[in-house]
Amino acid sequence: MKKSKYFKFIASSTLALGLVGLSNAQSNNQNTVFAASTYQVLLTHNSYIYNSIGHKVSGPSLKKGTKQKIAATKKINGKNYLKLKKNRYIKQANTKKVTDTTSYINIDDSRQVYLKPNGEKQQLWVTGKNKIYETMITSDGMTWYRIGESKWIKSVPDPDMDITDSTNKPAASNSENNTQTAAPTKDMLTTDYKLAVEKRFVEDVNNWRAQADIKPLTINPELHDYATQRAIEAGNYHEKYHTSDKHTRPDGSISAHGEVETGEVLTRNPNDLADDAFNEFIYNDASANWGHRDLLKNSECTRIGVSIGFAGMYGSDDPVVTTMFIANLDY
């Protein structure tokens, strides 16, 4: 389907991605770090850049026809502005939203998955529609697509691969498999589904931490229970107000543990939802100054708990189930 556009804007909703650092959580500090979902706009006029109080910033203007990544919205002196980065804004009136920049590859055959371009083959094949997170062209001229953490495929089938022979081939896997055409429903949010999301997300994070020689995180039952409660709270808040709760609990307190939060569209395969959240935190976190990524990479963190909660139905013609994804970390 950005899907979900991790953090994502689904239909007219404003799901958001946020962060509570460990020091913030321990001090119950109200000055939490919060980042809205990033999306792109097209400039319909040349646009000056302004600071947070609406004063022009010296330097060249942004040119009509260029695309800009937006981190948040802000009303300044009664007018709507779009945040580019810290203390840098443009007028919303000079833009129009780019609806979807997500890239996919539709695979009619069955495609071998590799750990990296020209790297080791995995015992995994994919088919159908797959999201592309990264593209690389190697020295031999081959185009490769990253469709998940340490999951790369070639842009074309291997010439020596007999796609009709599946005798020794594991079942194909993909994010929108053609055999799974029915839309996900709220009743899929079972305990088993949530545990599967947690398991896969922690595996993704630990594989990534291992590349930097950082000790793995351990799933902690207490943090899992806490994340489950926070996901319910954040989901209820989003369903009612169509925005993030900014890690604020119903009683007004801030999350008691380090916390990353994002919105995800429910998928039939829990691994896909977990992979999407991971890729959002690790590779698409520039708008939060990479705060979510850095918390997940914090070598002092040893424990983690993950869960998701129902966040509402969005879309009129083809409504989708949205969720709030919560991961809590601690020492």
Side-chain angles (χ1 to χ4, degrees), residues 71-85:
T73 60
K74 182 181 179 71
K75 192 173 286 292
I76 303 175
N77 300 325
K79 295 183 179 180
N80 293 324
Y81 285 74
L82 304 177
K83 183 178 180 180
L84 302 174
K85 57 183 179 179

Side-chain angles (χ1 to χ4, degrees), residues 171-197:
S173 170
N174 67 295
S175 59
E176 296 188 27
N177 195 296
N178 292 334
T179 63
Q180 299 179 343
T181 56
T185 58
K186 180 181 177 182
D187 59 13
M188 288 175 52
L189 286 171
T190 63
T191 298
D192 287 345
Y193 185 98
K194 295 176 183 179
L195 289 173
V197 168

Side-chain angles (χ1 to χ4, degrees), residues 209-266:
R209 284 167 66 100
Q211 295 174 16
D213 294 324
I214 301 174
K215 291 182 179 180
L217 298 168
T218 301
I219 295 175
N220 178 269
E222 291 183 4
L223 285 179
H224 170 81
D225 292 345
Y226 187 86
T228 298
Q229 183 58 39
R230 282 290 300 123
I232 293 172
E233 295 170 356
N236 289 342
Y237 189 94
H238 183 273
E239 186 178 16
K240 183 175 182 179
Y241 298 107
H242 308 302
T243 190
S244 167
D245 66 1
K246 301 183 182 180
H247 312 284
T248 303
R249 306 196 67 185
D251 64 2
S253 65
I254 298 298
S255 175
H257 304 278
E259 182 172 287
V260 294
E261 172 184 321
T262 186
E264 297 292 337
V265 167
L266 184 66

Side-chain angles (χ1 to χ4, degrees), residues 44-328:
T44 55
H45 301 84
N46 291 342
S47 180
Y48 291 111
I49 300 176
Y50 301 83
N51 61 21
S52 60
I53 58 175
H55 294 167
K56 290 181 183 178
V57 176
S58 60
S61 62
L62 300 176
K63 299 303 181 184
K64 174 183 177 181
T66 60
K67 293 180 180 179
Q68 303 295 325
K69 182 176 288 188
I70 303 304
T73 60
K74 182 181 179 71
K75 192 173 286 292
I76 303 175
N77 300 325
K79 295 183 179 180
N80 293 324
Y81 285 74
L82 304 177
K83 183 178 180 180
L84 302 174
K85 57 183 179 179
K86 185 177 182 180
N87 203 31
R88 293 294 182 267
Y89 297 82
I90 57 175
K91 290 182 177 179
Q92 188 177 36
N94 294 333
T95 71
K96 67 177 182 179
K97 188 173 179 181
V98 177
T99 56
D100 192 354
T101 58
T102 305
S103 297
Y104 295 91
I105 179 173
N106 285 296
I107 303 173
D108 295 328
D109 51 74
S110 186
R111 200 72 54 86
Q112 173 76 58
V113 178
Y114 295 76
L115 284 173
K116 60 182 180 180
N118 289 331
E120 182 182 349
K121 293 181 179 180
Q122 300 192 48
Q123 290 300 306
L124 179 66
W125 283 258
V126 294
T127 188
K129 187 176 182 181
N130 290 265
K131 176 180 287 186
I132 297 173
Y133 294 101
E134 185 179 352
T135 300
M136 179 183 295
I137 301 177
T138 50
S139 58
D140 58 3
M142 176 61 69
T143 299
W144 293 79
Y145 300 126
R146 185 173 66 81
I147 59 172
E149 179 64 10
S150 300
K151 293 182 177 68
W152 290 83
I153 60 171
K154 295 179 180 179
S155 60
V156 296
D158 288 314
D160 58 347
M161 180 177 176
D162 181 3
I163 64 174
T164 63
D165 180 11
S166 58
T167 304
N168 299 310
K169 185 186 303 180
S173 170
N174 67 295
S175 59
E176 296 188 27
N177 195 296
N178 292 334
T179 63
Q180 299 179 343
T181 56
T185 58
K186 180 181 177 182
D187 59 13
M188 288 175 52
L189 286 171
T190 63
T191 298
D192 287 345
Y193 185 98
K194 295 176 183 179
L195 289 173
V197 168
E198 179 179 56
K199 180 176 181 292
R200 177 57 168 252
F201 180 78
V202 175
E203 287 176 352
D204 285 346
V205 172
N206 282 340
N207 288 337
W208 172 69
R209 284 167 66 100
Q211 295 174 16
D213 294 324
I214 301 174
K215 291 182 179 180
L217 298 168
T218 301
I219 295 175
N220 178 269
E222 291 183 4
L223 285 179
H224 170 81
D225 292 345
Y226 187 86
T228 298
Q229 183 58 39
R230 282 290 300 123
I232 293 172
E233 295 170 356
N236 289 342
Y237 189 94
H238 183 273
E239 186 178 16
K240 183 175 182 179
Y241 298 107
H242 308 302
T243 190
S244 167
D245 66 1
K246 301 183 182 180
H247 312 284
T248 303
R249 306 196 67 185
D251 64 2
S253 65
I254 298 298
S255 175
H257 304 278
E259 182 172 287
V260 294
E261 172 184 321
T262 186
E264 297 292 337
V265 167
L266 184 66
T267 58
R268 296 194 66 84
N269 187 337
N271 290 347
D272 293 334
L273 192 151
D275 290 348
D276 288 335
F278 171 80
N279 280 287
E280 186 65 14
F281 290 135
I282 305 306
Y283 301 108
N284 299 311
D285 198 35
S287 65
N289 199 29
W290 306 101
H292 310 90
R293 178 199 64 183
D294 292 346
L295 178 58
L296 290 167
K297 198 175 184 178
N298 189 329
S299 60
E300 295 183 355
C301 292
T302 60
R303 304 180 300 149
I304 189 172
V306 177
S307 193
I308 57 174
F310 178 70
M313 298 290 299
Y314 293 96
S316 54
D317 297 331
D318 187 17
V320 295
V321 179
T322 58
T323 69
M324 293 301 295
F325 178 102
I326 299 283
N328 290 111

